[in-house]
Amino acid sequence: MEKPAIEGGKSVRENPIFYGHQYIDEADIQAVVEVLRSDYLTCGPKIGELEEKLCALTGAKYAVVCANGTAALHIAAMAAGVKAGDEVITTPITFAASANCVLYCGARPVFADIDPETYNIDPAKVEESVTPHTKAVVAVDYTGQSVALDPLRAICKKHGLVLIEDGAHVIGTKYKGQANGSLADMTTFSFHPVKTVTGGEGGAVLTNDEGLYKKLVLCRAHGITRDESLMEHEPDGSWYYEQIDLGYNYRMTDMQAALIISQLDKLQMFCRRRKEIVRRYDEAFGEMPELFVQREIPESDTTRHLYILRIVPEKLRIDRKRFFDALSAEKVCCNVHYIPTYYFPYYEKLGYKRGICPQAEKLYEEMISLPLYYAMSDEDVESVILAVKKIVDYYRI
């Protein structure tokens, strides 16, 4: 049996609370079963139905769904024309895919530091990072809070850059009253199980640009087309197709699409519950000087994918690792999002050094991702709060 968080104390609960978890109901199951009983398991009607639904949700003109969020980032970078010799600016506080998609294209990721209070990429640091080699910016809506889109769009327009919004966390969020998804040159989504809506896996790229849309469609499916207007040779017959570019097999199945469509029907319900939990956390932790609560910009009406609790080391006799372990002993299963991307050995071998983004590095040393998902009960939420307060009270200086 695990020891309680505090020697001589007692754990607040018997069963663990996960940091994230999908919610699947009978409607979701039936949506997938319906596809399994149909004629199409992939490349079928559910793909177009999901793309139309995403456009209706976000206001984007075009949507291209694909295998996962990483594939979405890759085809977005390809459509943006990122190639060897180019640089793409992104944040280090993200999953590695935000930078890996740049490497896939033979280009070089450039890491710009974060705002120390919102934790999103700092537009001023983006501006400082622009060089003659810069091709694009991959701006991550970290935790579900929208990046500062207006200043980022202004920077990209000034320097002729493509703005790719990595919206893996952001579905359900609005920026200045408009749903994220149609506000950058391209926005990518992820439907991983811990995201607000899930397809098991799955991704999407949304854009208002028809030229980018056509490139995305090619990149998703081997660079192959049946569109005669794009072909270089006379078709041999109705079966004929051509590969006109080098693409990938990044297609989504109809089973995934059906599940995501069903999940999107519950999006507002998911958003409301996540906001309720965040408000309760903020209320509980906001007045504690030993903790720092992530600040939200007024332009973002946020549906949080992650809740980041940041400790203030100067006010506690405990570091982040011991705080994390203490929560685990209290049956509160947390995580850390994220290790700065350039800390990884692969990036070190590419020549990246620690110290280039001091705000991001400081955040990493102090942050913990608390449980946050739709199916958390009020009792679960209060258990998390009680565990955090118990540890803070014990280790307070």
Side-chain angles (χ1 to χ4, degrees), residues 210-226:
E210 185 178 9
L212 290 174
Y213 167 69
K214 289 180 177 179
K215 291 177 183 177
L216 290 163
V217 171
L218 282 173
C219 293
R220 172 181 66 182
H222 307 282
I224 287 174
T225 185
R226 293 181 182 272

Side-chain angles (χ1 to χ4, degrees), residues 6 13 32 58 99 139 181 194 217 243 263 302 321 324:
I6 298 162
R13 60 182 293 125
V32 175
T58 63
V194 297
V217 171
Q243 181 182 342
Q263 288 265 298
T302 303
K321 182 183 183 304
F324 185 99

Side-chain angles (χ1 to χ4, degrees), residues 23-317:
Y23 175 81
I24 302 294
D25 65 11
E26 190 60 32
D28 297 328
I29 294 168
Q30 288 306 311
V32 175
V33 169
E34 193 176 301
V35 170
L36 291 171
R37 289 176 172 153
S38 75
D39 293 327
Y40 295 94
L41 297 186
T42 193
C43 301
K46 289 297 178 183
I47 301 303
E49 185 180 338
L50 173 56
E51 289 173 340
E52 289 178 6
K53 197 173 185 77
L54 288 170
C55 288
L57 172 70
T58 63
K61 291 182 180 178
Y62 308 100
V64 177
V65 298
C66 55
N68 51 60
T70 300
L73 284 165
H74 187 191
I75 63 175
M78 291 173 67
V82 176
K83 60 186 184 306
D86 290 337
E87 295 176 349
V88 176
I89 300 166
T90 191
T91 172
I93 298 297
T94 182
F95 186 63
S98 307
N100 288 348
C101 67
V102 180
L103 296 178
Y104 297 158
C105 296
R108 178 176 177 270
V110 174
F111 295 101
D113 211 349
I114 60 167
D115 181 294
E117 295 188 343
T118 68
Y119 312 151
N120 269 331
I121 196 167
D122 184 342
K125 298 301 181 182
V126 172
E127 179 82 62
E128 291 174 10
S129 302
V130 175
T131 76
H133 300 290
T134 307
K135 182 74 174 185
V137 174
V138 175
V140 178
D141 300 303
Y142 178 62
T143 73
Q145 177 178 190
S146 177
V147 289
L149 281 163
D150 283 351
L152 288 170
R153 285 186 298 202
I155 292 166
C156 289
K157 183 177 180 180
K158 175 182 174 183
H159 297 284
L161 310 177
V162 179
L163 178 57
I164 300 170
E165 183 183 1
D166 181 345
H169 298 179
V170 84
I171 194 163
T173 291
K174 295 180 179 179
Y175 181 82
K176 290 188 170 181
Q178 187 171 346
N180 289 66
S182 64
L183 303 172
D185 294 312
M186 288 177 278
T187 301
T188 66
F189 286 159
S190 168
F191 303 109
H192 183 275
V194 297
K195 302 301 194 297
T196 303
V197 300
T198 186
E201 279 286 3
V205 188
L206 294 92
T207 184
N208 293 324
D209 186 301
E210 185 178 9
L212 290 174
Y213 167 69
K214 289 180 177 179
K215 291 177 183 177
L216 290 163
V217 171
L218 282 173
C219 293
R220 172 181 66 182
H222 307 282
I224 287 174
T225 185
R226 293 181 182 272
D227 184 344
E228 291 186 22
S229 68
L230 299 177
M231 292 180 183
E232 297 185 16
H233 304 299
E234 189 69 25
D236 296 335
S238 59
W239 66 85
Y240 186 78
Y241 58 85
E242 287 184 352
Q243 181 182 342
I244 61 173
D245 207 340
L246 182 62
Y248 295 80
N249 183 4
Y250 282 163
R251 293 172 300 198
M252 178 185 284
T253 69
D254 278 52
M255 290 91 74
Q256 290 171 298
L259 177 53
I260 296 165
I261 290 166
S262 180
Q263 288 265 298
L264 286 171
D265 289 337
K266 294 181 278 285
L267 178 59
Q268 294 309 310
M269 180 177 80
F270 291 159
C271 292
R272 282 194 299 271
R273 181 56 179 159
R274 284 175 176 266
K275 288 180 178 181
E276 286 174 1
I277 296 169
V278 168
R279 280 195 296 269
R280 181 67 188 105
Y281 279 164
D282 284 351
E283 178 185 77
F285 306 135
E287 300 301 320
M288 300 180 69
E290 299 83 7
L291 305 173
F292 182 83
V293 172
Q294 181 182 7
R295 185 177 67 83
E296 186 168 312
I297 60 173
E299 296 88 348
S300 182
D301 177 5
T302 303
T303 295
R304 290 277 182 88
H305 158 55
L306 298 170
Y307 189 91
I308 304 300
L309 188 68
R310 186 172 185 176
I311 68 170
V312 180
E314 298 81 8
K315 297 183 180 294
L316 291 167
R317 296 178 291 105

